[in-house]
């Protein structure tokens, strides 16, 4: 990547994205965050320079800078990505850590974070805006819907389908062929052996509905 990157979001996702870019010797121009307490501070020597809608900085996007959306909230990530598309005609770049392994024949959308030592296998498909934590494994023929989050160390076995905006907690295992519905949530450390309906939260080994 020749151009420097502006990261929208300076909290945990932004810090992970920064680490991924720096691991590849990509220059990060600055971070932007709407939390006033974070502004005029630094993350790993990179300044947090203002709000995520700072037009003076966002006008650099396209020819001079790339952008990555790293806000914590899914709705915010979707909203900011839409704004970037509509107002600046840019799509977020991917932040893939140098120690991650992404197969040549995996399919990735835009604005995806892949943490250190994570694996995305051949024929896996990962939609726009997804976050794949450090040490997570996405095996062959897995499909991960847009804006989903796969926690650190989670394992998605062959053929798993994860719906849009779903959340898979750290260390969870989803066994081969299971379908996780849209906006469903899987608790950390769970073992999922059966399909999870949309909007449902499951936890445990074997994972069962919560509440």
């Amino acid at each position: 990547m020749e151009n420097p990157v502006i990261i929208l979001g300076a909290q945990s996702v932004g810090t992970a994205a920064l680490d991924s870019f720096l691991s590849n010797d990509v220059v990060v121009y600055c971070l932007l965050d709407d939390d006033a307490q974070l502004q005029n501070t630094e993350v790993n020597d990179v300044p947090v320079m203002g709000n995520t809608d700072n037009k003076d900085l966002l006008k650099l996007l396209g020819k001079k800078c790339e952008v990555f959306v790293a806000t914590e909230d899914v709705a915010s990530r979707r909203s900011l990505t839409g704004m970037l598309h509509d107002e600046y005609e840019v799509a977020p770049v991917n932040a893939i850590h140098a120690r991650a392994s992404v197969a040549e024949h995996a399919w990735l959308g835009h604005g995806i974070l892949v943490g250190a030592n994570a694996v995305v296998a051949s024929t896996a498909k990962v939609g726009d805006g997804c976050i794949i934590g450090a040490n997570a494994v996405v095996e062959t023929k897995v499909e991960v819907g847009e804006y989903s989050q796969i926690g650190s160390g989670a394992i998605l076995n062959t053929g798993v389908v994860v719906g849009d905006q779903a959340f898979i907690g750290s260390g969870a295992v989803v066994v081969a062929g299971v379908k996780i519905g849209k906006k469903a949530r899987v608790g950390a450390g769970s073992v999922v052996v059966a399909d999870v309906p949309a909007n449902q939260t499951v936890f445990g080994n074997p994972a069962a509905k919560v509440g």
Side-chain angles (χ1 to χ4, degrees), residues 180 184-188 190 192 194-197 200-204 207-210:
I180 307 295
R185 298 179 67 83
V186 174
S190 299
V192 185
D195 291 354
V196 179
Q200 191 170 104
T201 298
V202 298
F203 180 75
K209 181 180 178 181
V210 176

Side-chain angles (χ1 to χ4, degrees), residues 19-20 24 71 90-91 96 101 106 108 131 133 148 152 155 168 176 193-194:
D19 184 48
S20 291
N24 289 290
T71 50
V90 296
I96 300 173
S101 174
L108 300 182
I131 296 172
S148 291
S152 298
I155 299 173
I168 312 295
V193 298

Side-chain angles (χ1 to χ4, degrees), residues 78 163-167 180-185 197-201:
R78 293 178 67 210
D164 293 350
Q165 302 175 57
F167 176 88
I180 307 295
K182 182 177 180 179
K183 296 185 178 179
R185 298 179 67 83
N199 300 301
Q200 191 170 104
T201 298

Side-chain angles (χ1 to χ4, degrees), residues 80-166:
L80 284 169
T81 301
M83 178 272 292
L84 292 168
H85 177 270
D86 295 342
E87 296 185 27
Y88 299 93
E89 298 182 347
V90 296
V93 294
N94 291 331
I96 300 173
H97 199 284
R99 294 203 310 275
S101 174
V102 177
E104 179 181 354
H105 294 290
W107 185 92
L108 300 182
H110 298 289
I112 297 166
L113 171 62
V114 183
N117 302 312
V119 176
V120 180
S122 179
T123 67
K125 183 176 181 179
V126 181
D128 293 346
C130 288
I131 296 172
I132 298 175
N135 301 298
V137 178
V138 178
E139 294 187 352
T140 57
K141 298 182 180 178
V142 168
E143 295 183 16
V144 181
E146 294 184 350
Y147 297 96
S148 291
Q149 183 166 343
I150 313 301
S152 298
I155 299 173
L156 306 182
N157 289 153
T158 299
V160 164
V161 177
V162 177
D164 293 350
Q165 302 175 57

Side-chain angles (χ1 to χ4, degrees), residues 34-47:
D34 295 334
D35 185 342
Q37 292 184 322
L38 292 173
Q39 294 167 13
N40 300 313
T41 64
E42 293 184 342
V43 180
N44 299 343
D45 299 324
V46 178

